[in-house]
Structures are given as C-alpha cells and as structure tokens.
Amino acid sequence: MNGASTPTGRDALAAMFARARREGRAAFLPYFPIGYPSVAESLDAIAALAEAGADGFEIGLPFSDPLADGPTIQAATQVALHNGVTVATGLDALRALRSRGVTQPLLLMSYLNPLLAYGLERFARDARSAGAAGVIVPDLPPEEAGSLAEACAREGLALIFFLAPTSSPERIALVAERAQGFIYLVSVTGVTGARDALPPDLEAFIARVRAKTETPLVLGFGISRAAQARELNALVDGFIVGSALVRAAQSGVEAVRDLGATLRRALDEA
C-alpha cells in the first residue's frame, strides 16, 4: 500500500518520469487487461511485471466495442467480459495490487461508456481511492472531456489524451495545452498490435509534438521487441507494450515476466 512518502495521482507520474530521466532512459509502461486469462492470473501477470522492473502500468478494463484495440487485445478483453469483469472489478484489482506491494503508477484504461454507466464523479473518486494515478480513455477527445477532466482534476488524477501521425497542428496544440501526466502518441494510424518495425516517419511525428510541449511523450501501438525499445529510448519519455505481453500470457505468467524483463533490460543497454 502507498506509504505517506510515496507520490500518488499525477505526482506519481511526474516522479516516474523524473526517475527514468535521471537514469538516462525511457519509462516502460506495460498494458495488461484485468480478467485475462482470469482475474487472479491477470493480477499475477501485473505483479510479475512490477518485479521485472516496469515503471508504471496501463490497466485495461474490458468493453464490448474496443475500437482502438487490435485482435489480440480484443480477444483478451472478450475473455475478461465473459469472466464478469466490470469497472468495479478493475478498481478492486487496483486495491489488490497495492496490497501486494505494487507501488508503480497505475493508469486505468477504459472506453467512455462503462465510465458513464458507473458515474464519472464516482469513478474519479473511487479510482483515486483505489490507488490510480490517472485514466486513459481512447474514445474521449479533449473537446468532449470536460466532465471527466473536471472530476479527475478534483481527485489529482491525470486524464491522458492521444495524438496520432495524422493529427493536425491545431489538434497537437489543443492536446499540448490540456495534457496532464503525459501525451499518448499512437505510432501508427490503426489499432493496437505487435509489429515488426516502427514506422519510418515516427521521428518526424515525435518532433512535431515535442516542438509544442514539454509534457512527457509516451509511445504506444506496435511495440513488441527489445530492439524497438532501444530505438525508442532516445526518442520518447516512455513507451507502452500491450499485445505482445497479452500474447505471452497464453504461455503463462513466467512468459509475461520474461518478456517484460527483456524489454526493461533493453533500456539499460541502449
């Protein structure tokens, strides 16, 4: 459980990035869905990644129409839905992880509809109480985020917004203005999923955003290999790996731990 000296909410993210910068590397933030293959096994996988050196986590809550997710994560979240996972289950999972000694920042990833059904004010309050540092909502653009942004601000939670290679200068400026915690950069125009190589125009995209903000930039979608982690180390402040870890979970918790350790170790070798 977080002690009095452990940063919480947005402060936990700031401390995470500051520590990674001191160590001369990007932060490693694995994604893993609650409830896949089961709730207990997902908690074991996240705890194993914490032990393997993850800097923070994107904790997925399942939704029936996950428009930003590729086939691997879609299949996993369907299993989680079949296992009865709800927003309340996800909040309980955060509490369980804290009780197991996981101290890294935890960001809840959910689509908007489940949060509306739960109640935005109630969700922000309960998420902070459960130990969340922030919230990632792929289908909530900043123009429509007022109610949740206000609720998160009251609780000291970061509400994370996205930018893609196709984002206009106006959209980049808007997200830069409203960003909290970090900006989630989508590496490709498409859905999540492990890819063999990073896109050739990635550096130019990152530079366009970097020119507009000093907020940390975290890259996601398509990252799966140690070589890619090393390549990203000097480009962004952090990166998210999801599909590759979910696929590893088909072979058990140790496979998840091994891949996480490999990706984290690559940052020290770059």
Side-chain angles (χ1 to χ4, degrees), residues 17-78:
F17 287 117
R19 182 174 61 254
R21 279 194 298 271
R22 286 195 302 271
E23 296 176 3
R25 60 177 180 82
F28 170 42
L29 294 94
Y31 163 92
F32 207 86
I34 293 299
Y36 177 79
S38 66
V39 172
E41 288 168 297
S42 62
L43 294 177
D44 289 344
I46 294 165
L49 288 165
E51 293 169 1
D55 294 290
F57 289 92
E58 180 183 356
I59 306 295
L61 302 180
F63 179 53
S64 57
D65 188 21
L67 57 88
D69 293 319
T72 299
I73 292 177
Q74 279 195 31
T77 54
Q78 286 301 311

Side-chain angles (χ1 to χ4, degrees), residues 124-186:
R125 184 175 62 250
D126 291 353
R128 178 59 185 266
S129 175
V135 186
I136 299 172
V137 187
D139 59 344
L140 181 64
E143 298 93 333
E144 300 173 12
S147 296
L148 183 56
E150 291 169 8
C152 287
R154 280 191 285 274
E155 299 299 331
L157 297 172
L159 178 57
I160 306 302
F161 296 120
F162 289 74
L163 287 172
T166 52
S167 295
S168 67
E170 294 77 17
R171 171 49 62 94
I172 292 173
L174 176 64
V175 169
E177 176 188 344
R178 300 190 186 180
Q180 304 165 359
F182 64 85
I183 297 172
Y184 194 136
L185 301 183
V186 177

Side-chain angles (χ1 to χ4, degrees), residues 84-156:
V85 172
T86 64
V87 172
T89 313
L91 294 168
D92 287 342
L94 260 60
R95 297 184 187 97
L97 290 167
R98 293 305 188 204
S99 72
R100 290 175 65 159
V102 175
T103 60
Q104 288 94 331
L106 305 174
L107 295 116
L108 282 167
M109 194 288 277
S110 174
Y111 291 86
L112 184 59
N113 275 355
L115 304 187
L116 290 171
Y118 190 90
L120 299 182
E121 292 279 351
R122 177 186 171 212
F123 171 75
R125 184 175 62 250
D126 291 353
R128 178 59 185 266
S129 175
V135 186
I136 299 172
V137 187
D139 59 344
L140 181 64
E143 298 93 333
E144 300 173 12
S147 296
L148 183 56
E150 291 169 8
C152 287
R154 280 191 285 274
E155 299 299 331

